Amino acid sequence: MRTHTALHILCGVIWRDYGVSVTGGGMKPLSARMDFELESMSTDFADEVQKRINREVEAARPIEIGSLPREEAFAIPDLIRTKINLLPPHIVKIRTVDIVGLDLQADGGTHVANTSEVGTIRVVGHESKGRINKRLRIEVDP
Ligand SMILES: [Zn+2]
């Protein structure tokens, strides 16, 4: 749950501060990777991202689970990031995860109740996965 929530914080910050979408991701307990639609990546950028995501941990933002009617959910452009349009048509209510003040997404996963519970997030690596596809690796404390 902490690692999954850390990924939300990461994609929320990258979206809010750089306007960049996620192209993929993966997770194991305590470590995760996320790929972004970025042309360039550097150690400086990774360091800056680490600072920014830990600011969100320190901000102790509440995380709220909600739901939206499908039509309303589709009307929020940011939710498209999460490939909500792949949902089967019979699903009329969309479950949402709101990191209050940072990021609202459609999501079915489990999360901690406050960003402070994630603890320090470390950006432990970055690599190129293609011309407009760059990966960040993160870890959280045991
Ligand atoms: Zn989630």
Side-chain angles (χ1 to χ4, degrees):
M1 277 163 45
R2 287 168 53 236
T3 311
H4 179 77
T5 305
L7 281 179
H8 273 274
I9 295 172
L10 177 62
C11 76
V13 165
I14 298 265
W15 177 257
R16 180 196 63 190
D17 294 358
Y18 304 100
V20 166
S21 344
V22 171
T23 55
M27 175 176 99
K28 291 182 286 183
L30 306 179
S31 74
R33 60 183 166 77
M34 193 161 258
D35 300 341
F36 296 96
E37 200 175 85
L38 277 170
E39 283 193 42
S40 62
M41 172 62 72
S42 66
T43 303
D44 282 351
F45 180 80
D47 288 349
E48 182 60 30
V49 167
Q50 178 172 277
K51 271 186 216 134
R52 290 177 185 225
I53 57 181
N54 283 295
R55 246 177 250 150
E56 301 305 321
V57 172
E58 285 154 24
R61 295 188 185 278
I63 298 167
E64 294 173 357
I65 305 303
S67 76
L68 282 174
R70 186 187 181 93
E71 296 71 32
E72 243 175 86
F74 272 103
I76 303 172
D78 291 7
L79 286 173
I80 302 293
R81 271 182 306 162
T82 59
K83 309 219 183 336
I84 192 174
N85 46 351
L86 298 179
L87 284 176
H90 67 269
I91 295 181
V92 294
K93 280 267 182 189
I94 308 295
R95 187 177 182 271
T96 59
V97 174
D98 189 8
I99 301 183
V100 176
L102 173 64
D103 193 43
L104 174 68
Q105 279 190 56
D107 188 287
T110 52
H111 312 83
V112 295
N114 189 290
T115 57
S116 63
E117 293 174 44
V118 173
T120 304
I121 307 167
R122 292 179 305 279
V123 176
V124 294
H126 60 87
E127 61 211 71
S128 177
K129 303 302 288 180
R131 193 174 66 83
I132 313 180
N133 197 23
K134 302 292 179 278
R135 176 169 293 176
L136 286 170
R137 295 181 180 280
I138 59 168
E139 286 179 3
V140 298
D141 290 329

